[in-house]
Amino acid sequence: MTEQEDTNTNTWGSTSWTRLSSLRQQSPLIQCITNLVSMDIMANTLLAAGASPAMVHSILEIPDFTPHTQAVVINVGTLTPDWLPAMKAAAGLANQLGKPWVLDPAAVGASGFRLKACLELIELKPTVVRGNGSEIIALSMASLGSTKGADSLHESSDAVEAAKSLAKSSGSIVAISGSVDFVTDGQRVVGAHNGVPMLQKITATGCAVTALIAAFVATDPTHAFEATASALSVFGLAGEIGMGLAKGPASLRMHLIDSLHGLDQETVLQRVKITSFS
């Protein structure tokens, strides 16, 4: 895989700013059925970006609530048999109503139950699938693998071919988080280069960026590829700015949220870095 000379850096900066501005103006309602660890940072990331989070996961509420949302996020991090029907119901209803939904297959290769659940969710046609390298490889191969819980044993670049295969078979945009965040629709591949390594020392930052992807996609579902790459880069950029003020993971978490809230046009245009690969 070769990184191409990219003459569209300014275009990506402009695209990212347009998405963020639309998000702030529209304040889309994002339903999050997510793991118990991530609820706080996920909700605060959405609020800082300008979206409206709703942590609604009861299957009894989905018929009434999900039709009012602009996008749905499903994260299987602390999956239980009690929650899976609600996840399927929300994804199915989002599909039926033409609303985007995003799947985060956390630790998908760790158990047969988790893998089967994620494969069943993939059949409900997520707009975007976002995971780390190990998660995307396991999901693409539909097999259990070496696992370190939700931490990746693979570089994001190791999973690009698996991501392209998964995108083609599922019809979803597939995003791989890592030192470079890759996004593919099965043909095109771009890499978002913003971010700092210490984000990996804060629990659920991957979950948080999945929620941000859903919010970006909600503003223009017909351009989910561009929205996904923009969300990854904007989140990483907020991390870079936050790192300049932080003393460690705890203060980075705080400054990450503040920096996302305070991003301005000049900073996004100048510092977003997304390149094409072949």
Side-chain angles (χ1 to χ4, degrees):
M1 186 174 62
T2 305
E3 185 174 6
Q4 298 174 345
E5 183 68 28
D6 205 316
T7 59
N8 294 321
T9 300
N10 290 339
T11 301
W12 275 111
S14 179
T15 297
S16 298
W17 176 249
T18 297
R19 303 285 172 190
L20 182 57
S21 298
S22 296
L23 173 56
R24 289 170 172 174
Q25 291 163 8
Q26 296 178 28
S27 190
L29 178 61
I30 310 299
Q31 181 181 357
C32 304
I33 305 180
T34 189
N35 71 74
L36 299 170
V37 179
S38 71
M39 287 185 182
D40 178 82
I41 193 171
M42 217 168 182
N44 281 301
T45 295
L46 288 170
L47 286 168
S52 179
M55 305 345 241
V56 174
H57 61 262
S58 171
I59 194 168
L60 299 177
E61 290 192 282
I62 285 166
D64 294 328
F65 187 83
T66 302
H68 297 289
T69 66
Q70 278 70 61
V72 175
V73 181
I74 294 175
N75 179 301
V76 301
T78 50
L79 185 65
T80 70
D82 293 339
W83 280 38
L84 186 55
M87 292 175 173
K88 290 181 179 179
L93 187 53
N95 238 351
Q96 179 184 328
L97 298 173
K99 297 176 183 290
W101 76 275
V102 180
L103 173 64
D104 191 325
V108 59
S111 73
F113 167 61
R114 188 174 294 266
L115 177 62
K116 182 174 183 289
C118 287
L119 292 175
E120 290 171 354
L121 287 165
I122 284 283
E123 291 177 3
L124 296 171
K125 302 294 182 185
T127 311
V128 182
V129 179
R130 199 289 317 167
N132 62 38
S134 294
E135 290 162 352
I136 296 303
I137 289 170
L139 195 54
S140 176
M141 296 176 63
S143 65
L144 302 182
S146 299
T147 182
K148 194 179 178 184
D151 295 332
S152 184
L153 295 174
H154 297 86
E155 295 293 332
S156 54
S157 57
D158 297 336
V160 170
E161 290 305 314
K164 289 170 71 174
S165 175
L166 179 61
K168 289 175 183 176
S169 64
S170 66
S172 305
I173 304 300
V174 179
I176 321 160
S177 292
S179 54
V180 176
D181 299 323
F182 291 98
V183 182
T184 183
D185 59 4
Q187 300 295 329
R188 295 175 290 173
V189 179
V190 299
H193 299 262
N194 297 99
V196 293
M198 196 173 286
L199 286 172
Q200 298 175 22
K201 299 296 184 182
I202 306 170
T203 189
T205 50
C207 309
V209 79
T210 300
L212 189 63
I213 288 169
F216 270 54
V217 172
T219 66
D220 187 2
T222 60
H223 294 92
F225 180 87
E226 292 81 1
T228 300
S230 296
L232 287 162
S233 195
V234 163
F235 188 84
L237 175 54
E240 291 172 3
I241 297 168
M243 193 67 237
L245 301 166
K247 295 181 179 179
S251 54
L252 176 57
R253 186 186 193 278
M254 176 183 72
H255 290 301
L256 167 71
I257 300 297
D258 283 350
S259 299
L260 180 58
H261 175 73
L263 279 176
D264 59 29
Q265 183 175 10
E266 181 180 2
T267 303
V268 173
L269 291 178
Q270 289 183 353
R271 294 184 58 176
V272 157
K273 186 180 181 186
I274 299 172
T275 61
S276 299
F277 287 81
S278 60

